[in-house]
Amino acid sequence: WIPVSSTICPPESSPDCTHYTPTSPESISTLSHTLPVHLLIASYRDRLCPRTLHNAFDKAEHPTRLFIRVIEQRQKGSDLLDDAGCWDRYCKEYNKGCEAYKGNVFVYYVDSGTSKGPTDARSKLSSLILHDYLNPTTPLLAPVSPTDYCMQTDSHMDFSPSFDTSLIEMHHRTKNDYAVLSTYVSPIEDNGKDSKEVPLLCMVTFTSTIRNWGTKACKNLEVPKLTNSLWGAGLSFHRCHAELNVPYDPYLDNVFDGEEGSRGVRFFTFGYDVYAPDKVLVTHDYKGHQGNPVVHSWGRGASKKGGLRGEGMEDRVQDDKFMEDVNRVRDMVDVKGTERVNLLLGISERPGQPDVISKIRSSRYGLGNRRTLAQASEFMGIDFKNKNMVENKCGNLVWVPWEVPEGETDYGIGETLRRGLWEDEGSILSQPTVVVQPTPEHLYNQSFMMVVCLVAFIVIVVGMGKGRKSRRRKK
């Protein structure tokens, strides 16, 4: 064990070098109980998904502020419990009063026979967040603000009591608006034990591409620890502007290895910093999930039978407009899957076709411009070209500075959305759009002022009523 620091600022920087909106303890306390948490779950024929919904609502301190989006991949014609339906079984087996949460859950059904892997499924969750951000008056589930919290996890999880409030408070302990809390989560057997030993992602290996390899551990952390930007898909907790700026790439068909490493690099280049949580709040049912052979069957071809058990896909009208742009461009994208990851990171090249790499890196699913790929390589201790981890980066790290462009008020979202999905096919925002979002401190102050104004209005109205009565009596 070695003593660790949360964030070490460069010598030339101020002690508070990260980009953080100063927030009073009173405001943090208020906001941690009120801000929405958008929970993103990709489920593949997972019989444990209903239990995960139950655990989330049951363990949250404020369950009605959870908005859960589920991409549920189920096999047609199956009578297996694995395909019985996440929401349906949650209602039947865990909560007879589930209608109270009907407005908090959106399930998008996918025929598991067409599944292109976990990365493809999770890209649909990113698209749902984008849709509800761009369409606040007609969301598929709930409006999304950049300063809301987005949380990605798996469909076979459990949570510590009041995990929603505790994660928001933990995020503030990073003193970094661009923090991403992420790690490989502890086993479900450790749930609720208030463990202060947390897994630390900091090492990779290479298969056909980059892959997270094992974990170290941190013990008795007082605040989250800055990592070398190795990110885990099983837990990611961040402001929603991170989900909007660094969405899942929808063209990584059949990618498993490469999913986490590539997104960690992208987070870093967009100015985000990955931190190991300072305590265990989310746990994973490794035995229950990995011991079920059905969940490992993706990619084995389309199903031949028709019809789903229970509330089937064919019985529901599903609006897939949230994937309209992605699907429109799909045939134009001539590099998909693992090769796309490798070209993005410089693991492989296309001699004589530098424009292909440029298209990938400059697209909305490419690299950011806050930090460079070379800086990522040095900070992470990874030689991408030679497929090698060249330096141990599990200990204390010096934060890599970047500057917020002058006049930027939307966390860079407008710039990101003006990027094309591929080549010059256009973007969602044809004209620059700046979404000015109030800071957490302002949100708290605005709420307070609204209360003050409402009280003043009531006093005035009551006073006017008393004045009228007085005048009538004088007459």
Side-chain angles (χ1 to χ4, degrees):
W1 298 99
I2 62 171
V4 298
S5 302
S6 55
T7 303
I8 300 176
C9 294
E12 68 276 10
S13 300
S14 67
D16 300 320
C17 55
T18 55
H19 300 281
Y20 180 61
T21 305
T23 309
S24 69
E26 295 78 15
S27 294
I28 292 174
S29 177
T30 299
L31 294 167
S32 67
H33 290 272
T34 56
L35 280 179
V37 175
H38 302 272
L39 184 54
L40 309 176
I41 298 174
S43 173
Y44 182 86
R45 307 187 65 193
D46 191 354
R47 64 177 60 190
L48 302 177
C49 183
R51 189 185 69 183
T52 299
L53 288 185
H54 167 71
N55 291 341
F57 285 127
D58 186 57
K59 302 292 179 64
E61 184 170 1
H62 303 288
T64 56
R65 57 98 165 262
L66 292 185
F67 294 97
I68 305 179
R69 295 164 175 84
V70 182
I71 300 299
E72 185 175 16
Q73 300 158 98
R74 293 159 56 183
Q75 181 172 304
K76 288 186 175 183
S78 170
D79 289 325
L80 295 177
L81 192 65
D82 312 271
D83 300 303
C86 188
W87 173 256
D88 300 342
R89 285 188 51 224
Y90 166 68
C91 292
K92 293 174 183 177
E93 299 176 23
Y94 292 95
N95 185 3
K96 299 298 183 182
C98 64
E99 287 296 312
Y101 294 129
K102 191 172 183 179
N104 294 78
V105 178
F106 177 87
V107 181
Y108 186 81
Y109 295 96
V110 176
D111 178 1
S112 62
T114 66
S115 174
K116 300 184 183 71
T119 307
D120 175 71
R122 290 175 178 137
S123 75
K124 292 176 172 61
L125 294 167
S126 287
S127 293
L128 282 170
I129 290 293
L130 176 60
H131 176 278
D132 287 358
Y133 167 72
L134 292 174
N135 301 277
T137 60
T138 56
L140 289 173
L141 179 60
V144 174
S145 166
T147 52
D148 291 350
Y149 285 93
C150 283
M151 177 180 177
Q152 175 181 307
T153 192
D154 290 333
S155 55
H156 30 271
M157 313 298 282
D158 202 354
F159 310 87
S160 294
S162 301
F163 73 93
D164 51 332
T165 302
S166 297
L167 280 170
I168 292 175
E169 292 172 345
M170 185 188 297
H171 193 273
H172 274 285
R173 288 198 290 275
T174 67
K175 295 190 179 300
N176 187 343
D177 291 340
Y178 293 80
V180 178
L181 299 172
S182 183
T183 189
Y184 279 175
V185 292
S186 299
I188 200 168
E189 291 79 9
D190 293 343
N191 198 69
K193 293 183 178 180
D194 196 29
S195 174
K196 290 293 289 182
E197 183 173 318
V198 297
L200 169 67
L201 283 171
C202 58
M203 303 176 291
V204 300
T205 186
F206 285 86
T207 54
S208 59
T209 184
I210 189 172
R211 178 187 173 99
N212 287 351
W213 180 76
T215 59
K216 296 289 188 178
C218 293
K219 196 172 185 178
N220 297 323
L221 291 176
E222 295 183 359
V223 294
K225 182 201 176 300
L226 179 67
T227 76
N228 59 333
S229 204
L230 289 182
W231 174 86
L235 171 63
S236 186
F237 188 85
H238 45 261
R239 296 281 192 175
C240 287
H241 55 77
E243 197 69 33
L244 294 164
N245 277 321
V246 193
Y248 260 84
D249 186 338
Y251 306 119
L252 299 186
D253 299 359
N254 301 308
V255 165
F256 187 81
D257 291 358
E259 169 194 2
E260 297 171 318
S262 62
R263 203 175 189 210
V265 172
R266 291 177 59 220
F267 272 129
F268 180 82
T269 61
F270 274 89
Y272 293 93
D273 301 295
V274 179
Y275 289 78
D278 56 34
K279 66 182 299 186
V280 173
L281 295 172
V282 182
T283 56
H284 186 289
D285 191 348
Y286 290 100
K287 292 180 181 178
H289 179 254
Q290 294 178 359
N292 180 5
V294 171
V295 303
H296 304 294
S297 62
W298 65 270
R300 297 182 184 175
S303 57
K304 297 179 180 179
K305 297 180 180 179
L308 276 171
R309 171 181 174 176
E311 289 187 305
M313 288 185 294
E314 73 283 355
D315 298 326
R316 295 190 176 195
V317 177
Q318 295 204 113
D319 185 354
D320 61 354
K321 286 185 178 180
F322 70 96
M323 293 291 293
E324 193 171 53
D325 285 316
V326 168
N327 294 333
R328 172 177 55 82
V329 177
R330 175 166 285 278
D331 289 340
M332 302 181 195
V333 179
D334 54 11
V335 182
K336 301 183 181 73
T338 298
E339 184 185 11
R340 187 173 168 89
V341 172
N342 291 344
L343 291 174
L344 174 79
L345 301 182
I347 295 172
S348 62
E349 299 178 350
R350 273 200 174 187
Q353 298 184 22
D355 59 318
V356 173
I357 297 175
S358 176
K359 289 175 187 177
I360 295 171
R361 292 179 178 174
S362 62
S363 75
R364 192 177 309 146
Y365 309 110
L367 301 177
N369 55 19
R370 310 293 207 209
R371 298 168 175 141
T372 66
L373 182 60
Q375 286 178 304
S377 176
E378 180 180 358
F379 182 73
M380 301 174 80
I382 300 172
D383 180 347
F384 293 108
K385 185 175 181 179
N386 294 301
K387 302 181 182 179
N388 192 24
M389 188 115 201
V390 295
E391 188 175 353
N392 185 330
K393 292 285 188 172
C394 296
N396 294 319
L397 301 173
V398 177
W399 182 76
V400 179
W402 58 274
E403 297 297 326
V404 176
E406 185 177 354
E408 181 180 278
T409 59
D410 67 347
Y411 302 97
I413 297 170
E415 179 186 351
T416 299
L417 296 188
R418 285 190 289 274
R419 291 187 178 198
L421 303 188
W422 180 252
E423 208 164 0
D424 56 354
E425 41 60 54
S427 64
I428 284 180
L429 298 183
S430 57
Q431 299 296 328
T433 299
V434 177
V435 181
V436 180
Q437 294 294 334
T439 66
E441 186 73 35
H442 290 159
L443 285 168
Y444 176 74
N445 291 338
Q446 285 175 1
S447 299
F448 175 77
M449 288 305 298
M450 287 176 66
V451 173
V452 171
C453 291
L454 179 60
V455 171
F457 176 75
I458 293 172
V459 169
I460 292 171
V461 171
V462 171
M464 291 175 63
K466 289 182 177 178
R468 291 192 184 99
K469 291 180 180 179
S470 176
R471 285 192 293 271
R472 282 199 292 270
R473 281 197 292 268
K474 286 180 181 180
K475 289 179 181 179

